[in-house]
Amino acid sequence: MADATSSSASSAASPTFDEVFCGLLPRLYRRAVMLAGSRQSAEDVVHEAYLRLAARPQRFLAHPEPYAYAFTAVLNVARDAYRKDRRQVLVDGMDGVEDAGAGGGAGPGGAGGGWDGGVERRQAEIEAVRLLGKLSHRQAGIVILVDLDGYTIDQAAKIMKVHRGTAARHRARALDRLRAYLVESEHGQAGR
């Protein structure tokens, strides 16, 4: 009888799969938007990652760092979705829409110099998502883990299941690519 009481007490003390996963949702959604590019795609990616992890909840719960385990699942789902989307034929470019959206920030709401209701931060997030979208999923994952989540290169390599040198090389290439895009966009804006 004492064994039954102690086992029920230990199961009550340990969190369930849904409790742990739901605790990670805000962070996973933010990172999924950076990988997927839009809020709708990010929701799909996180939902699919949830389904994959829920198939074997004991592995997720037994992992020493559940966020890292869940992030890896999100990264894999986002990569799979990207590969699937890449096979589809694009009808037309979106250059006109992107140019109109970029010029919209200098309107009457942004000219006051005061609090803008979070518009400037949101524009920065959109720009970060746009830039991360130009990287491979592995490069974007390393940049997110190291530069946004604060993991070391060693920790990020372990999370992504690659050698430390591979992680460092992916990050260096990603940062070089991001710098090149920023220089390119500055030259493009200076020429207007």
Side-chain angles (χ1 to χ4, degrees):
M1 178 100 178
D3 290 332
T5 306
S6 65
S7 66
S8 66
S10 67
S11 66
S14 64
T16 65
F17 173 80
D18 286 336
E19 291 171 342
V20 174
F21 192 85
C22 287
L24 300 173
L25 274 177
R27 195 170 169 192
L28 289 174
Y29 275 128
R30 284 193 306 271
R31 300 312 180 216
V33 167
M34 293 178 172
L35 291 169
S38 72
R39 175 174 261 148
Q40 292 87 4
S41 297
E43 289 173 357
D44 292 342
V45 165
V46 171
H47 182 259
E48 182 64 30
Y50 172 85
L51 293 175
R52 287 186 183 183
L53 294 173
R56 293 192 176 98
Q58 65 281 4
R59 285 187 182 177
F60 174 70
L61 293 173
H63 197 274
E65 196 168 350
Y67 169 75
Y69 195 80
F71 178 80
T72 302
V74 166
L75 184 63
N76 290 338
V77 170
R79 184 177 46 237
D80 292 348
Y82 171 76
R83 287 177 180 162
K84 184 180 117 189
D85 291 345
R86 194 173 63 186
R87 285 183 247 137
Q88 296 181 4
V89 177
L90 295 177
V91 177
D92 199 4
M94 298 288 287
D95 291 336
V97 174
E98 289 175 1
D99 292 341
W115 184 70
D116 63 355
V119 172
E120 187 174 335
R121 179 176 180 194
R122 183 66 184 137
Q123 287 174 337
E125 289 173 352
I126 290 170
E127 180 66 8
V129 168
R130 186 183 71 79
L131 288 171
L132 286 171
K134 294 179 180 278
L135 302 174
S136 72
H137 280 84
R138 191 168 278 184
Q139 289 174 340
I142 290 290
V143 169
I144 288 171
L145 287 171
V146 173
D147 298 303
L148 298 177
D149 287 340
Y151 287 98
T152 65
I153 292 286
D154 291 329
Q155 292 168 328
K158 187 174 181 181
I159 290 168
M160 295 193 58
K161 296 181 177 124
V162 296
H163 188 272
R164 182 197 190 287
T166 302
R169 187 174 61 246
H170 281 303
R171 181 171 177 262
R173 287 180 181 168
L175 295 178
D176 287 344
R177 232 170 143 182
L178 291 174
R179 284 185 200 103
Y181 288 132
L182 290 174
V183 167
E184 181 182 304
S185 66
E186 286 177 10
H187 288 310
Q189 289 178 357
R192 287 185 186 179

mmCIF file of all heavy atoms in Angstrom, residues 104-116 119-120 123:
data_model
loop_
_atom_site.group_PDB
_atom_site.id
_atom_site.type_symbol
_atom_site.label_atom_id
_atom_site.label_comp_id
_atom_site.label_asym_id
_atom_site.label_seq_id
_atom_site.Cartn_x
_atom_site.Cartn_y
_atom_site.Cartn_z
ATOM 1 N N GLY A 104 5.907 51.681 -46.016
ATOM 2 C CA GLY A 104 4.787 52.044 -45.157
ATOM 3 C C GLY A 104 5.198 52.468 -43.765
ATOM 4 O O GLY A 104 4.430 53.054 -43.043
ATOM 5 N N GLY A 105 6.425 52.187 -43.336
ATOM 6 C CA GLY A 105 6.854 52.499 -41.976
ATOM 7 C C GLY A 105 7.127 53.964 -41.754
ATOM 8 O O GLY A 105 7.173 54.431 -40.632
ATOM 9 N N ALA A 106 7.296 54.774 -42.817
ATOM 10 C CA ALA A 106 7.620 56.181 -42.660
ATOM 11 C C ALA A 106 6.381 57.047 -42.689
ATOM 12 O O ALA A 106 6.451 58.232 -42.901
ATOM 13 C CB ALA A 106 8.588 56.600 -43.761
ATOM 14 N N GLY A 107 5.230 56.459 -42.468
ATOM 15 C CA GLY A 107 3.973 57.204 -42.506
ATOM 16 C C GLY A 107 3.790 58.086 -41.295
ATOM 17 O O GLY A 107 4.694 58.310 -40.498
ATOM 18 N N PRO A 108 2.579 58.625 -41.124
ATOM 19 C CA PRO A 108 2.319 59.562 -40.050
ATOM 20 C C PRO A 108 2.531 58.961 -38.658
ATOM 21 O O PRO A 108 2.868 59.671 -37.737
ATOM 22 C CB PRO A 108 0.863 59.973 -40.257
ATOM 23 C CG PRO A 108 0.309 59.090 -41.313
ATOM 24 C CD PRO A 108 1.426 58.389 -41.974
ATOM 25 N N GLY A 109 2.345 57.668 -38.482
ATOM 26 C CA GLY A 109 2.521 57.062 -37.160
ATOM 27 C C GLY A 109 3.967 57.023 -36.718
ATOM 28 O O GLY A 109 4.271 57.058 -35.540
ATOM 29 N N GLY A 110 4.930 56.962 -37.649
ATOM 30 C CA GLY A 110 6.336 56.842 -37.298
ATOM 31 C C GLY A 110 7.072 58.162 -37.257
ATOM 32 O O GLY A 110 8.205 58.239 -36.841
ATOM 33 N N ALA A 111 6.435 59.257 -37.689
ATOM 34 C CA ALA A 111 7.126 60.530 -37.780
ATOM 35 C C ALA A 111 7.218 61.246 -36.440
ATOM 36 O O ALA A 111 7.989 62.166 -36.284
ATOM 37 C CB ALA A 111 6.419 61.419 -38.800
ATOM 38 N N GLY A 112 6.418 60.858 -35.443
ATOM 39 C CA GLY A 112 6.377 61.562 -34.172
ATOM 40 C C GLY A 112 7.608 61.372 -33.324
ATOM 41 O O GLY A 112 7.922 62.195 -32.483
ATOM 42 N N GLY A 113 8.344 60.279 -33.483
ATOM 43 C CA GLY A 113 9.548 60.033 -32.717
ATOM 44 C C GLY A 113 9.276 59.481 -31.330
ATOM 45 O O GLY A 113 10.189 59.093 -30.643
ATOM 46 N N GLY A 114 8.037 59.422 -30.892
ATOM 47 C CA GLY A 114 7.692 58.888 -29.579
ATOM 48 C C GLY A 114 7.350 57.417 -29.673
ATOM 49 O O GLY A 114 7.770 56.718 -30.587
ATOM 50 N N TRP A 115 6.578 56.972 -28.703
ATOM 51 C CA TRP A 115 6.168 55.576 -28.678
ATOM 52 C C TRP A 115 5.288 55.289 -29.880
ATOM 53 O O TRP A 115 4.344 56.027 -30.167
ATOM 54 C CB TRP A 115 5.434 55.285 -27.379
ATOM 55 C CG TRP A 115 5.076 53.853 -27.247
ATOM 56 C CD1 TRP A 115 5.922 52.824 -27.048
ATOM 57 C CD2 TRP A 115 3.772 53.280 -27.308
ATOM 58 N NE1 TRP A 115 5.247 51.626 -26.982
ATOM 59 C CE2 TRP A 115 3.907 51.884 -27.138
ATOM 60 C CE3 TRP A 115 2.504 53.793 -27.497
ATOM 61 C CZ2 TRP A 115 2.836 51.014 -27.138
ATOM 62 C CZ3 TRP A 115 1.437 52.929 -27.491
ATOM 63 C CH2 TRP A 115 1.615 51.556 -27.315
ATOM 64 N N ASP A 116 5.593 54.236 -30.586
ATOM 65 C CA ASP A 116 4.878 53.931 -31.820
ATOM 66 C C ASP A 116 3.934 52.749 -31.690
ATOM 67 O O ASP A 116 3.484 52.212 -32.687
ATOM 68 C CB ASP A 116 5.866 53.703 -32.961
ATOM 69 C CG ASP A 116 6.764 52.502 -32.725
ATOM 70 O OD1 ASP A 116 6.682 51.913 -31.642
ATOM 71 O OD2 ASP A 116 7.543 52.158 -33.627
ATOM 72 N N VAL A 119 5.337 49.263 -33.244
ATOM 73 C CA VAL A 119 5.483 49.076 -34.689
ATOM 74 C C VAL A 119 6.950 48.884 -35.064
ATOM 75 O O VAL A 119 7.294 48.009 -35.858
ATOM 76 C CB VAL A 119 4.866 50.268 -35.466
ATOM 77 C CG1 VAL A 119 5.177 50.189 -36.950
ATOM 78 C CG2 VAL A 119 3.374 50.333 -35.227
ATOM 79 N N GLU A 120 7.832 49.708 -34.477
ATOM 80 C CA GLU A 120 9.258 49.611 -34.821
ATOM 81 C C GLU A 120 9.814 48.243 -34.435
ATOM 82 O O GLU A 120 10.560 47.628 -35.194
ATOM 83 C CB GLU A 120 10.041 50.709 -34.116
ATOM 84 C CG GLU A 120 11.485 50.795 -34.549
ATOM 85 C CD GLU A 120 12.208 51.982 -33.936
ATOM 86 O OE1 GLU A 120 11.543 52.968 -33.589
ATOM 87 O OE2 GLU A 120 13.428 51.899 -33.803
ATOM 88 N N GLN A 123 8.549 45.693 -36.887
ATOM 89 C CA GLN A 123 9.257 45.790 -38.159
ATOM 90 C C GLN A 123 10.637 45.146 -38.051
ATOM 91 O O GLN A 123 11.095 44.494 -38.992
ATOM 92 C CB GLN A 123 9.384 47.242 -38.603
ATOM 93 C CG GLN A 123 8.081 47.818 -39.097
ATOM 94 C CD GLN A 123 8.169 49.298 -39.409
ATOM 95 O OE1 GLN A 123 9.025 50.001 -38.903
ATOM 96 N NE2 GLN A 123 7.253 49.764 -40.239
#
